[in-house]
């Protein structure tokens, strides 16, 4: 195994650094805020934030190579296998390859503690690296397991069988009285004929060999949203008016809702086409499977699992944690989680185990979880900008000026838990190994929160050197609610590069 010891920016992939300019990568002046918020406190936070931006200005720059397509899931849409299951919050395989090249990580072991659909793991494995991932949600775990199956164990006969099934639809002949397992938030999600077909398809799956059964289950998971009345919408599932569910004042129409047979045929055809395309080398990921590095998935919370890893054992971490943006994966992936048998109780447990990113997350007892995290907590306690933001949010809550009282607890939980994750990452990485993190800044109650700077300062205090914060060329606003109140203020979407201190 080799360790990485060149400066990350000094590679052939490095694009010229743009000088930091006020109003581009740095935070713009705040727009006049609605009087309901404490304008003086907002101003103080803005001023302090500016000092931090100036302190780090030489390390924060707009990186033209990092367009939104590359950093988001979009680039995977053109890529065989990666395109099958759209994990909206994922990044692209190309992004992982870009950073492996940029950091000259050619061997050893990569970790993604928030593995999602496993993009970092498969892209690294295809380069011959070993890859370990941690993922909390069963949907991500299932996507990863299926890709592993395909990568290592699938035969040409299995692919032919899928092609036959896509033509013959044997499940339509199955008689079953089974009903679909539903959660409170997924009840009535499918038109009745679709719910029936899913039940028939599931009964058919049980008659198949394990490999084919796994592939069919995966294909079904890929289409659940498209055959349902719902659409994933960040914080929750949006419901089409045809479902009969009322949701807010506005009527939502998701457009055409595919029939089950149409959708499953299209998905199976796509899978077969990709598998046969790659069949020439009998490989799904561009190289013969023998050249691939081993992949290990750890199912559960990284807050529980990271402390079990040995010190100094990873050559690279590439990850994208949940953002501090109220997105609730347990709600947006509820159709898939229900299908996978998650119960009401375990759904709540999963939500609470996530790194705090929803207003429902309760405070975690981090010291009870790991006494050594006192260090990370002290770092967060001592961070002036974070503490000023937390006091402000708390005071806005006391004065009934927040649109949700869970916001201060979520923001606090996010930063304190991420501090613990960062402490663990520093412990388990080799000297000089790079950590690459994709994350967005956020905005609450009129205050833009520099998640990038605060987490990078935590990293510096916990064993990393801050190499750079690469800013995506286009900024974006936050939720429409925030824009209505305060006007559009671009928030940085960034990739942070830190290096484990020697
Ligand atoms: C932004 S997504 C990662 C997407 C991934 N980069 C990909 O390309 O598919 C963040 C992931 O973190 C997971 N997650 C949240 N809290 C977690 C925890 N405590 N431990 C492990 N995974 C967690 C979520 O379920 C989600 O899949």
């Amino acid at each position: 195994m080799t360790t990485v010891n060149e400066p990350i920016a000094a590679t052939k992939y490095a694009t010229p650094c743009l000088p930091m300019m006020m109003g581009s990568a740095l935070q713009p002046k705040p727009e006049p805020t609605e009087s309901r918020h404490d304008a003086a406190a907002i101003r103080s936070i803005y001023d302090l934030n500016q000092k931090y931006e100036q302190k780090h200005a030489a390390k924060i720059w707009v990186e033209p190579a990092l367009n939104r397509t590359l950093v988001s899931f979009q680039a995977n849409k053109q890529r065989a296998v990666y395109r099958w299951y759209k994990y909206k919050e994922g990044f692209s395989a190309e992004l992982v390859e870009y950073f492996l090249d940029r950091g000259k990580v050619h061997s050893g072991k990569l970790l993604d503690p928030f593995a999602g659909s496993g993009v970092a793991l498969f892209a690294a494995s295809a380069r011959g690296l070993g890859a370990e991932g941690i993922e909390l949600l069963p949907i991500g775990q299932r996507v990863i397991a299926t890709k592993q199956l395909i990568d290592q164990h699938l035969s040409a006969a299995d692919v032919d069988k899928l092609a036959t099934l896509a033509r013959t639809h044997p499940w339509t002949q199955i008689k079953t009285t089974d009903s679909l397992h539903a959660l409170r938030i997924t009840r009535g999600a499918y038109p009745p004929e679709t719910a029936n077909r899913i039940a028939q398809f599931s009964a058919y799956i049980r008659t198949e060999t394990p490999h084919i059964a796994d592939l069919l289950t995966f294909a079904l998971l890929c289409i659940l949203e498209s055959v349902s009345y719902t659409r994933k919408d960040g914080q929750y599932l949006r419901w089409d008016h045809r479902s009969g569910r009322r949701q807010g004042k506005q009527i939502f129409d998701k457009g055409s809702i595919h029939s089950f047979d149409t959708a499953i045929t299209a998905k199976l055809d796509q899978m077969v086409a990709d598998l046969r395309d790659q069949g020439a080398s009998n490989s799904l990921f561009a190289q013969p499977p023998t050249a691939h590095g081993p992949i290990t998935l750890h199912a559960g919370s990284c807050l529980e699992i990271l402390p079990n890893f040995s010190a100094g054992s990873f050559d690279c971490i590439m990850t994208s944690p949940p953002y501090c943006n109220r997105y609730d994966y347990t709600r947006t992936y509820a159709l898939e989680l229900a299908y996978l048998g998650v119960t009401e109780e375990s759904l709540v447990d999963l939500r609470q185990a996530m790194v705090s990113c929803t207003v429902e997350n309760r405070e975690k007892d981090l010291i009870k979880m790991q006494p050594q995290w006192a260090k990370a907590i002290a770092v967060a306690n001592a961070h002036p900008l974070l503490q000023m933001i937390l006091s402000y949010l708390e005071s806005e809550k006391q004065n009934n000026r927040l649109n949700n009282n869970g916001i201060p607890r979520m923001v606090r939980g996010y930063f304190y838990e991420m501090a613990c994750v960062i402490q663990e990452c520093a412990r388990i990485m080799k000297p000089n190994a790079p950590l690459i993190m994709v994350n967005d800044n956020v905005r609450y109650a009129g205050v833009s929160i520099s998640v990038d700077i605060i987490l990078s300062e935590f990293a510096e205090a916990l064993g990393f050197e801050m190499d750079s914060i690469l800013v995506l060329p286009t900024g974006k606003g936050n939720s429409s609610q925030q824009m209505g109140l305060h006007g559009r203020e671009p928030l940085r979407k960034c990739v942070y590069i830190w290096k484990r201190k020697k």
Side-chain angles (χ1 to χ4, degrees):
M1 288 188 192
T2 56
T3 49
V4 184
N5 46 22
E6 277 92 352
I8 287 181
T11 74
K12 63 179 176 151
Y13 288 90
T15 47
C17 306
L18 299 183
M20 288 294 291
M21 290 181 302
M22 293 305 291
S24 59
L26 294 185
Q27 213 125 275
K29 266 202 156 97
E31 308 247 338
T33 57
E34 204 185 71
S35 55
R36 74 181 183 128
H37 289 304
D38 181 343
I42 292 176
R43 182 82 225 175
S44 303
I45 293 171
Y46 174 77
D47 289 344
L48 183 58
N49 187 69
Q50 266 207 324
K51 290 191 181 132
Y52 280 92
E53 289 185 337
Q54 276 151 11
K55 176 177 161 195
H56 295 292
K59 292 184 174 177
I60 308 177
W61 66 79
V62 176
E63 180 66 85
L66 296 181
N67 57 53
R68 191 160 276 280
T69 308
L70 186 70
V71 175
S72 73
F73 186 84
Q74 273 182 46
N76 292 336
K77 287 186 182 164
Q78 313 302 328
R79 197 139 167 167
V81 184
Y82 289 95
R83 64 184 175 152
W84 295 350
Y85 187 88
K86 186 176 170 211
Y87 203 69
K88 271 184 161 176
E89 299 75 12
F91 45 48
S92 72
E94 227 177 306
L95 184 82
V96 180
E97 290 156 0
Y98 172 86
F99 279 106
L100 290 178
D101 288 339
R102 186 172 172 143
K104 300 194 173 153
V105 183
H106 301 309
S107 60
K109 208 163 53 162
L110 169 142
L111 171 72
D112 184 348
F114 300 98
S117 57
V119 173
L121 312 186
F122 289 95
S125 161
R127 291 284 181 94
L129 273 78
E132 295 198 28
I134 307 174
E135 174 53 44
L136 179 69
L137 288 191
I139 177 61
Q141 295 162 7
R142 181 58 81 109
V143 174
I144 294 172
T146 309
K147 285 190 200 157
Q148 276 181 293
L149 162 78
I150 291 162
D151 199 20
Q152 287 152 17
H153 303 293
L154 209 67
S155 67
D158 289 334
V159 180
D160 291 344
K161 177 76 193 262
L162 280 189
T164 306
L165 293 177
R167 277 200 319 275
T168 54
H169 296 186
W171 52 88
T172 57
Q173 308 306 317
I174 298 268
K175 298 219 176 336
T176 178
T177 52
D178 291 354
S179 56
L180 285 181
H181 167 61
L183 294 159
R184 191 178 44 77
I185 54 174
T186 66
R187 212 159 284 146
Y190 308 102
E193 61 282 9
T194 299
N196 257 342
R197 269 288 194 265
I198 297 175
Q200 287 179 296
F201 191 75
S202 307
Y204 176 76
I205 287 174
R206 290 194 287 277
T207 68
E208 269 297 350
T209 56
H211 281 181
I212 297 295
D214 283 347
L215 289 171
L216 292 178
T217 304
F218 176 77
L220 176 59
L221 290 168
C222 292
I223 64 158
L224 284 182
E225 182 184 356
S226 72
V227 299
S228 79
Y229 289 125
T230 72
R231 178 169 299 160
K232 297 187 194 325
D233 197 8
Q235 292 175 23
Y236 51 82
L237 282 176
R238 285 186 91 182
W239 285 74
D240 184 281
H241 62 96
R242 285 164 283 184
S243 66
R245 272 212 191 201
R246 291 175 65 132
Q247 196 181 39
K249 288 185 199 132
Q250 287 193 340
I251 291 184
F252 168 59
D253 188 318
K254 75 179 269 193
S256 73
I257 298 175
H258 302 301
S259 80
F260 178 83
D261 289 335
T262 309
I264 201 78
T265 305
K267 185 50 65 181
L268 290 172
D269 283 346
Q270 184 192 51
M271 289 170 69
V272 169
D274 283 1
L275 291 167
R276 285 192 173 146
D277 255 14
Q278 315 246 337
S281 60
N282 192 26
S283 162
L284 302 173
F285 300 99
Q287 279 179 23
T290 46
H292 291 187
I295 293 177
T296 310
L297 174 70
H298 305 267
S301 168
C302 62
L303 289 164
E304 303 281 350
I305 293 169
L306 283 172
N308 302 329
F309 290 158
S310 307
S313 51
F314 289 95
D315 299 82
C316 175
I317 290 182
M318 169 100 204
T319 197
S320 172
Y323 302 164
C324 186
N325 62 3
R326 300 181 61 172
Y327 274 33
D328 186 345
Y329 292 82
T330 61
R331 284 203 161 76
T332 47
Y333 288 92
L335 293 183
E336 293 82 355
L337 295 174
Y339 187 78
L340 291 171
V342 169
T343 61
E344 300 288 354
E345 299 73 38
S346 44
L347 192 76
V348 172
D349 291 346
L350 286 170
R351 191 172 299 141
Q352 291 306 329
M354 277 196 307
V355 160
S356 290
C357 58
T358 79
V359 287
E360 285 162 74
N361 280 106
R362 290 189 294 271
E363 188 181 345
K364 297 181 179 63
D365 189 342
L366 296 165
I367 289 289
K368 195 167 162 204
M369 288 172 92
Q370 294 293 332
Q372 73 271 20
W373 288 346
K375 184 176 169 191
I377 290 163
V379 166
N381 279 338
H383 198 276
L385 179 58
L386 174 65
Q387 294 308 322
M388 192 184 261
I389 291 167
L390 293 179
S391 305
Y392 165 70
L393 291 176
E394 199 50 54
S395 137
E396 292 301 283
K397 176 183 159 187
Q398 299 307 328
N399 289 299
N400 290 322
R401 291 196 290 239
L402 292 181
N403 57 34
N404 188 298
N405 281 339
I407 289 170
R409 189 181 54 227
M410 172 190 70
V411 175
R412 169 181 289 276
Y414 186 81
F415 282 102
Y416 279 75
E417 291 162 37
M418 284 303 294
C420 299
V421 170
I422 292 167
Q423 180 181 333
E424 286 306 314
C425 288
R427 184 183 66 76
I428 63 179
M429 291 180 83
K430 291 183 182 167
N432 239 354
L435 184 151
I436 297 119
M437 181 182 290
V438 178
N439 205 337
D440 275 11
N441 287 353
V442 292
R443 174 183 163 104
Y444 291 105
V447 162
S448 298
I449 304 179
S450 291
V451 179
D452 48 5
I453 292 179
I454 298 173
L455 291 185
S456 296
E457 291 223 330
F458 285 3
E460 282 188 322
L462 292 165
F464 288 98
E465 275 165 25
M466 176 179 163
D467 180 283
S468 44
I469 294 176
L470 308 177
V471 183
L472 263 70
T474 48
K476 65 163 188 155
N478 205 353
S479 69
S480 46
Q481 219 169 9
Q482 288 282 346
M483 277 182 222
L485 281 176
H486 311 292
R488 182 183 279 271
E489 213 182 84
L491 290 163
R492 288 190 297 266
K493 183 176 176 71
C494 307
V495 181
Y496 326 149
I497 304 178
W498 308 330
K499 286 175 86 180
R500 178 72 177 89
K501 280 184 189 146
K502 285 185 199 155

